[in-house]
Amino acid sequence: AKRLGSSASVLVPSLFGAAALGPVVGAFVAAPHAWRAIFGAEVVVSLVTIALAVATLAERPPSDPHAKPDWFAHIVSGCAAIAIFIGAGGLAGNDWTDLAATIPVAVGVALFVVLVAGENFLPHALVPVRGLSTSLALVGIIATMTGSACFAALAQSFILTLERVAGLSLHATGLATWPEFIAALIAGLIFGRLVTTEWIAVVGVSGLVIIAVALALSIAGGSLSAGEVTALSFIAGLGSGGAVTPGLLLVALTYPRAQVGRAIAMLNLL
């Protein structure tokens, strides 16, 4: 239980730390000539990550070495992702009335629906859809998807507000979102202390309530100042960290150990 609490405390900052620190780090490299340094830093981080993985992770045999590839899942998910990326690219400088963006996105979403429906009937599906039929998994999915979607929308809205309403520069905009990372650390500590207790369900519900409060304050505040956005980013980050990670835990508890990775990957896909 002690190790589980320590791991859980690290899990929240690991999930949201990169997203929260992205604008802050970007503030220091927000210059047209800095793109080479950005890619160089990514290479260094990738190499360090690979070295740590090789040095610390034990080699495990595959859970089912004789399993056949699920070509249906590979092909449909790949086509769906490509269609949505094409549609998202079409939105650059356009809106949803542009069919070049709307049609690919609609096709991609439809393909993902076909993927989920089809995997439910395959005997050895790559995407473990059948496990989602339990109430425990459904609660986890709702918490995770709601928390992630609301946090992403709020974070993007905060950035646009700082740039277009408050009139801050790219450097100042990035630095104004630093409370999100602090909130992720606090949410991780709370989650780690309560993950083995009956209060873990309260953490998930409280996270959703906190996100709702941040959303309501953002709407009611009208034209927000830079200071107000900074405060709201802390609230949104705290709520997201409290809602998403317990949701992922509930989904993970629904599946056998060998399928946990695929279940979480499926959740990210959804």
Side-chain angles (χ1 to χ4, degrees), residues 12-256:
V12 177
S14 298
L15 289 173
F16 293 100
L21 282 179
V24 178
V25 175
F28 292 99
V29 295
H33 61 276
W35 66 271
R36 293 183 178 86
I38 296 174
F39 282 105
E42 291 177 351
V43 171
V44 173
V45 172
S46 299
L47 292 176
V48 171
T49 303
I50 294 174
L52 289 175
V54 172
T56 59
L57 297 180
E59 184 177 356
R60 293 178 180 177
S63 58
D64 189 1
H66 302 292
K68 297 181 179 180
D70 187 351
W71 292 112
F72 172 78
H74 291 312
I75 295 174
V76 175
S77 61
C79 292
I82 291 173
I84 290 180
F85 277 121
I86 292 175
L91 287 175
N94 301 294
D95 55 27
W96 286 105
T97 60
D98 185 5
L99 295 180
T102 305
I103 293 178
V105 170
V107 171
V109 172
L111 287 174
F112 276 129
V113 173
V114 172
L115 171 67
V116 174
E119 290 292 277
N120 186 50
F121 296 100
L122 293 180
H124 302 287
L126 176 65
V127 182
V129 177
R130 294 180 181 177
L132 300 180
S133 59
T134 64
S135 58
L136 188 67
L138 289 176
V139 171
I141 289 173
I142 293 172
T144 302
M145 295 182 65
T146 303
S148 298
C150 290
F151 176 75
L154 283 172
Q156 185 64 29
S157 298
F158 292 155
I159 294 294
L160 294 176
T161 299
L162 292 171
E163 290 181 353
R164 301 180 182 181
V165 178
L168 299 185
S169 63
L170 292 177
H171 180 78
T173 297
L175 293 180
T177 61
W178 63 267
E180 290 179 0
F181 182 71
I182 303 300
L185 293 177
I186 295 174
L189 293 175
I190 296 174
F191 181 63
R193 292 295 298 270
L194 301 179
V195 66
T196 57
T197 70
E198 67 274 10
W199 292 98
I200 186 61
V202 178
V203 174
V205 174
S206 300
L208 292 176
V209 172
I210 293 173
I211 292 177
V213 170
L215 179 60
L217 292 175
S218 301
I219 296 174
S223 298
L224 302 173
S225 65
E228 291 171 336
V229 171
T230 299
L232 288 173
S233 66
F234 175 83
I235 299 175
L238 186 63
S240 181
V244 176
T245 310
L248 287 175
L249 177 64
L250 291 177
V251 174
L253 292 175
T254 307
Y255 290 92

